[in-house]
Amino acid sequence: MARPPLTLAALATAAVAGLEVRAARAHSRGAGGAFDAVELHSTDGRRLLIRAPRSQTAESEQSSDLVALRALTPGIRSRLPFAVPQFVGQAPIGPTRAVVTEFIPGAGRTADELTGDPSLAADVGRAIAAIHALPSGFIGDAGLPRRSASEAREAAVAIIDRAADTGRLPAALLRRWEEATDDDTLWRFAPTVVNGQLGADSFLVEGDRVTGVIGWSGLAHDDPAHDLHWVLTSTGMSAEQTLAAYLEARAGGADAELARRALLYGELELARWLLHGVDTHDDEVIEDAVGLLDRLVARVHDHSSESLTTDTGPVLAVADVERMLEKTPRDGLPKESGATMLTDSYDVSELRRHLADGDDADEVRDPGLTAPIPLDLSDWGDAAPESAGSASRPDR
């Protein structure tokens, strides 16, 4: 049962010394029912937010979020072009606790909306790049996870192995994913600071600007592709602008295979969804996951999906190349079609909540499927947008 706004408002006065509340209203910002939240207006003009978890899973998420927020010192926050929640106080409520933070203005948007307008899509890309450009020293100081490129690959392999053990993973996908994890070139990257749980519901926007990023429980030093795979599931017409703006902001710091790994992580969300169904013995979830996997297989078989590996084919001698060029007409060459997004998976944030606590039905929104979006990854990392100049490909 949801806690009344006045109850949480009274609790806030106990959590924050000297706080006098003049107005309170229930607040919802894509939390999927995991928290009771109330926006507070104080007599001295402050706007605060108090949240109380409604499940053990939500409480664990809140605890991880607090650790991350404390790690994000004023110096680190000053490097970000958007606001991050600021801890103000906390107070016990039943077996859990309510946490008060500064309120960040801005509205939530769907993934399609975030990538639908060119200006907003670009600002989202720059916001993600700003996170990845943070100095990583504070991650270790705060005791947050640090994963190497090899550990990131091992984590992907572990998910694939578990999914294969269910007996429900199509052989074509098992082969596809194993080829990706066997491709050494794909995993030559420098880890960066990552949000780790980034999804469309992480962003707060006003107009065409990102005003804040919330939800930092996955803060770590890890593969930057983790923060980008949700972009590839959106149907916004400017999704490519998000990736282009990210690449420009990284100024050559993004590795050439970032988008392919992001695509792999997007596909592995379906494997995780299958594993959730198996772990909770939920036949409905299992069948849904199997259906999504089968649809992905169909796109793999008809070659409408982008390759996850970097195989460039056989190496030709110079004479062979010259003969091939002589036989190739210079005019009327068909334009290479863009690769389509490989999954119709649930929104990343929605899937995350299902995976975290699939038994609390009242905490889960109705899932919505996303349609494929054409994204041409063939030259990712080889060329930046014309306005940005070239991004250098790291040495192999």
Side-chain angles (χ1 to χ4, degrees):
M1 180 180 296
R3 302 173 180 92
L6 291 180
T7 299
L8 290 180
L11 188 64
T13 62
V16 182
L19 176 65
E20 295 183 14
V21 177
R22 65 175 178 82
R25 64 178 180 181
H27 179 78
S28 176
R29 194 175 265 167
F35 294 86
D36 292 323
V38 172
E39 179 186 347
L40 308 170
H41 292 236
S42 68
T43 55
D44 59 0
R46 299 175 70 187
R47 295 177 68 185
L48 305 173
L49 183 69
I50 182 170
R51 298 201 311 163
R54 298 181 62 190
S55 69
Q56 181 61 50
T57 299
E59 182 176 9
S60 297
E61 178 185 333
Q62 184 184 69
S63 296
S64 297
D65 198 52
L66 283 177
V67 172
L69 293 182
R70 290 190 176 107
L72 293 169
T73 62
I76 295 296
R77 291 166 185 254
S78 68
R79 296 171 177 261
L80 298 172
F82 51 78
V84 174
Q86 179 67 52
F87 174 79
V88 177
Q90 62 183 10
I93 177 171
T96 184
R97 60 181 169 178
V99 173
V100 181
T101 59
E102 296 284 353
F103 182 85
I104 300 176
R109 294 286 186 266
T110 66
D112 295 350
E113 291 170 338
L114 287 173
T115 57
D117 173 79
S119 296
L120 178 57
D123 205 51
V124 169
R126 289 189 290 268
I128 299 173
I131 296 172
H132 295 175
L134 290 175
S136 62
F138 78 97
I139 295 292
D141 294 341
L144 295 169
R146 295 182 63 94
R147 302 183 184 93
S148 65
S150 62
E151 289 171 333
R153 173 154 64 172
E154 291 169 1
V157 169
I159 294 175
I160 296 168
D161 288 346
R162 286 190 60 209
D165 289 342
T166 67
R168 308 299 294 269
L169 181 65
L173 292 185
L174 176 59
R175 181 169 58 253
R176 174 181 172 85
W177 293 345
E178 286 182 336
E179 288 175 351
T181 54
D182 286 342
D183 185 352
D184 292 338
T185 303
L186 202 67
W187 302 93
R188 293 173 183 167
F189 68 89
T192 69
V193 174
V194 298
N195 172 281
Q197 297 288 348
L198 204 65
D201 60 356
S202 301
F203 295 91
L204 302 176
V205 303
E206 288 185 338
D208 60 359
R209 301 289 296 177
V210 173
T211 57
V213 172
I214 58 177
W216 292 83
S217 60
L219 183 63
H221 189 244
D222 206 339
D223 187 349
H226 279 301
D227 283 351
L228 284 163
H229 78 84
W230 68 272
V231 176
L232 305 183
T233 67
S234 73
T235 59
M237 296 301 294
S238 299
E240 289 188 2
Q241 184 63 34
T242 299
L243 297 178
Y246 172 87
L247 179 62
E248 179 180 353
R250 290 296 307 278
D255 69 277
E257 306 306 332
L258 177 85
R260 293 187 191 275
R261 290 197 313 282
L263 213 52
L264 172 62
Y265 291 140
E267 293 188 17
L268 291 183
E269 291 297 297
L270 299 185
R272 295 176 63 203
W273 182 238
L274 172 64
L275 291 172
H276 168 66
V278 172
D279 292 343
T280 59
H281 307 288
D282 190 326
D283 291 337
E284 183 177 351
V285 171
I286 294 173
E287 292 308 313
D288 181 63
V290 169
L292 292 172
L293 290 166
D294 287 342
R295 292 167 67 180
L296 176 55
V297 169
R299 284 195 289 278
V300 171
H301 283 165
D302 66 16
H303 303 290
S304 64
S305 57
E306 177 71 27
S307 173
L308 292 177
T309 61
T310 56
D311 182 15
T312 57
V315 177
L316 301 179
V318 174
D320 294 331
V321 174
E322 290 176 346
R323 283 194 295 272
M324 181 180 68
L325 291 175
E326 289 174 356
K327 295 178 181 179
T328 303
R330 297 296 191 269
D331 300 321
L333 289 175
K335 183 178 180 181
E336 183 181 6
S337 60
T340 54
M341 176 54 205
L342 303 158
T343 78
D344 285 332
S345 67
Y346 291 107
D347 175 80
V348 173
S349 59
E350 183 66 37
L351 177 57
R352 187 168 69 242
R353 281 191 288 275
H354 274 290
L355 291 170
D357 192 354
D359 298 328
D360 290 343
D362 63 332
E363 295 184 9
V364 179
R365 294 174 294 173
D366 292 334
L369 298 180
T370 57
I373 178 172
L375 288 175
D376 186 359
L377 307 181
S378 59
D379 61 352
W380 177 264
D382 293 327
E386 292 183 0
S387 62
S390 298
S392 60
R393 178 186 289 270
D395 296 334
R396 297 297 179 209

